[in-house]
Amino acid sequence: MSLWARVNQLPQPVLEQIRYIYGNSFPIEVRHYLAEWIEDRLLNVPVYQHEQDSAYEQEAATFLNQLINELERTAINLPEDNVTGRIRLNESARNFRQLFSHNPVQLYSHLINCLQRERQCIAYPEECVNVQDPEIAEVINGLQQLQMLVRANENDNRNLVKDYEHLLLEIHEITKNKAQMEGIDNAQLREHARAALAQQERNVNETVTLITGKRLNLVDNFRKTIQLTSQVQEKVLHKYLTQWKINQGFAGNGASGMSASNLDTIQAWCENLAEIIWNTKDQIRLAMKNKSKLNIEEPNLPDFLPQSLVEVTNLLKSLITTTFIIEKQPPQVMKTNTRFAATVRLLIGNTLNIRMSNPLVRVSIISAQAQATQQSNKASEQSCGEIMNNTGNLEYNETTKQLSVSFRNMQLKKIKRAEKKGTESVMDEKFALLFQSSFAVGHGDLVFSVWTISLPVVVIVHGNQEPQSWATITWDNAFADINRVPFHVPDKVSWNLLAEALNTKFRASTGRSMTPENMHFLCEKAFRASLQYPVSNDLTITWSQFCKEPLPDRTFTFWEWFYAAMKVTREHLRGPWNDGSIVGFIHKSKAEDYLLKCPRGTFLLRFSDSELGGITIAWVNESNDGQPQILHIQPFTAKDFATRSLSDRIRDFEDLFYLYPNKPKNEAFDRYTTPPGQPRNRNYIPSEVRAVLMPSNNNPISYPNTPNSYGHLQSPDASRDTPTSGITDVTYRSDMTRPAYLPEARYGMGHSYASASYAGSNISSPAHSETSPMGPPTQEFPSPGSVGSPPPQMLPACVEQFNAGAGSPASQTTGGTTLPGELLQPGATGSLTLRTSASEQIIQGLMDHLLSDYQGQELDDVSMAQLNTNNFYTTTTAAAVPGPQSSGETAGSVPCSSPPMANGI
């Protein structure tokens, strides 16, 4: 069942949350119609440390093009009666092309996060329901109420203006009547005019009282509007926007956003608030202007309009400065002279005419200045480094309705560091990027300077500084308080909180969370002690224990060990880890306890305690007395996996049968094995690298019912060669610090002519050693000219060089065995037996010399020529392969020569 099918079985409130996180930019119909297509491409995508990675951007661009094509194809294939679906898909294809062609990473990252959220909702549906914050309804209702108040205030203010105009007319009429009354000579008429004038004055006084009441009521409504605006704005900025910023820090550790609101919704709220505040400000100024025209109110009445104007201006200032945010944070581990990106956005950019001026944004890097900037609320003019391409203009996108600027090509050229104290290192020093701008709002009567500081950044100059730098960033992202003094973090935290942060980071990096057993193992490793499960919430761990103090009997810290395990899993073991095929974090002793209860050939995979980034295989074998014994293969590292993957190695190991507890290994790992490739050149026999379990002196690999004298691995018999393929097996000895490459060449087509291998004293049987009375091992070669035999001239001469004339009785001694010369001549009959022997030290030294820099890459022609002329002394044998010949070279031949004994190798 697809992920989307399982999502649609969730409760309705959870479905609403999922629809909400996709937002307006990605219609839910697209997710429905392209469900399987999207999941096939995004559920198991590789994880990149930074979104500005060129490979990540290329994958995002490719995905966008494929998505648009798939939308158009799906729209065409929809039934004819589904007109709405066709229109919706075609419209989405056009919108995606317009919205994201310049920034495909935005859509790519958004969809990956949405799929991750879907997985979380399936795993924890109760938590997703609880995320439905009831305060969201309060914000929405508050904004609707404010909009109604603003409209009412506008009407009241408009009516009040009309009342003022009527009042002015009445006052003007009274003034005119007074002048006319003075000119009336008739006393009766004058008295009548005086009475009428008195009535008019009484009417005016009543009108003034009424207008005063209306104005005071309007002022009171202004104050109510300001008070409610302050409450809603407080919730939007200091709850939801602050939580969004906190989630950015958690996202730096790999967490997905769990906030009920996304940034687009917060922007809509902020734009509504900006319009409400600006409208209220205009209404207050209009009321003050009208009041100044008529100074008719009682002088003892308090005037709240000036104070209200100050309050609403402060609300506007707070809104503008707080909504200048970093939408896309710069990389938190930043390497000098390396390109990086960041995006800044002004959430109220669609209002107040700000977008008309395209404000300039400048970027600088600060350290100690961050504290002064926060305390003074004034951006610092100082910088402790030099950043190229650090200016850009805020631009408005009509499609997305966003005012933002993306810095795509910034580079940190220089950095000034503070003096180190005690054991501090450059990986402990934190910086931040400061983004600042200035612009006018409205009609230019108000100018605001805005700034914002990024999450902490550690600046490095070399890749080997990266692990410790990520320790600094991980601790800061997990435990920094939003209102802290810049860069301050606690020195001691709860282990359970740290464990959750590590689990989040590991899940984001590898695709699957650790088990409770894994987490408890990490706890015991971090504290260097056995602890009861579950651990108490009171258990705390210090920064020094986390990443400064080496583990017992080790040269690395807990964090370095954890980081290396996470890195090798992300880069080479992601598939098996997500399938649950790798236990990983488990004690060696506990792994042995588990395996001792299992049949022979059962194995599990765990991270090595002794080697950074190493993973080892523990498996059940049987000793000679039939008792089970647990063996541990030397850990494989990323360098080993660059040559051959873990799944391929497990397939090679014939002694491994079941993945713990009882899953056949082919079911667990076959999907990840490398399919055989086609030969690059048909004139050559293809080769393949394979891994073989090799015993050590301390832990010989024993097989049931096998005599002790043959308890070691032997060279395979020639009859076991695969007749239709030519394969070179390169084996790796697991009992040495550096792998030794022990070649075993098998050549043949149609028939296998000969095979021989040589291994040093660590794997040779005591019955077949150089010092053994039985002498060195033998290899039988068919008679020249016999059926299935190679041509005489192609018999190997790799033991020692010898020459014998035709029919000559001369002989050459090899390993104590006399070789009659006539057996080497054309037409000779009989059989030839070679006992080969050589010094392991010579062979090992030569192999180390030849392969010291080999890392799995193909050899060019020059290297091949050098290898063929290096007098490579092995007991590898070659047989002629019937087939076409070119340039005088026998197909299937392998050049061999005598060992360079004189040069002391």
Side-chain angles (χ1 to χ4, degrees), residues 837-874:
S837 65
S839 167
E840 181 191 8
Q841 182 179 2
I842 293 175
I843 293 178
Q844 189 64 52
L846 179 60
M847 294 300 296
D848 291 349
H849 172 72
L850 293 178
L851 301 175
S852 59
D853 296 325
Y854 180 72
Q855 297 181 354
Q857 69 273 21
E858 297 181 9
L859 296 179
D860 55 22
D861 294 338
V862 176
S863 300
M864 286 297 298
Q866 292 176 347
L867 182 63
N868 289 335
T869 57
N870 255 331
N871 295 328
F872 185 19
Y873 180 46
T874 72

Side-chain angles (χ1 to χ4, degrees), residues 118 184 235 270 319 424 513 809 864 891:
E118 287 182 18
I184 298 176
K235 192 164 293 184
C270 292
L319 180 65
E424 288 182 352
S513 299
M864 286 297 298

Side-chain angles (χ1 to χ4, degrees), residues 142-160:
L143 290 172
Q144 293 174 348
Q145 186 177 352
L146 283 170
Q147 290 169 344
M148 294 174 60
L149 279 173
V150 168
R151 286 195 294 269
N153 292 340
E154 288 179 353
N155 291 330
D156 291 346
N157 215 353
R158 190 182 302 113
N159 293 331
L160 191 59

Side-chain angles (χ1 to χ4, degrees), residues 79 118 208 442 571:
E118 287 182 18
V208 168
E571 296 175 356

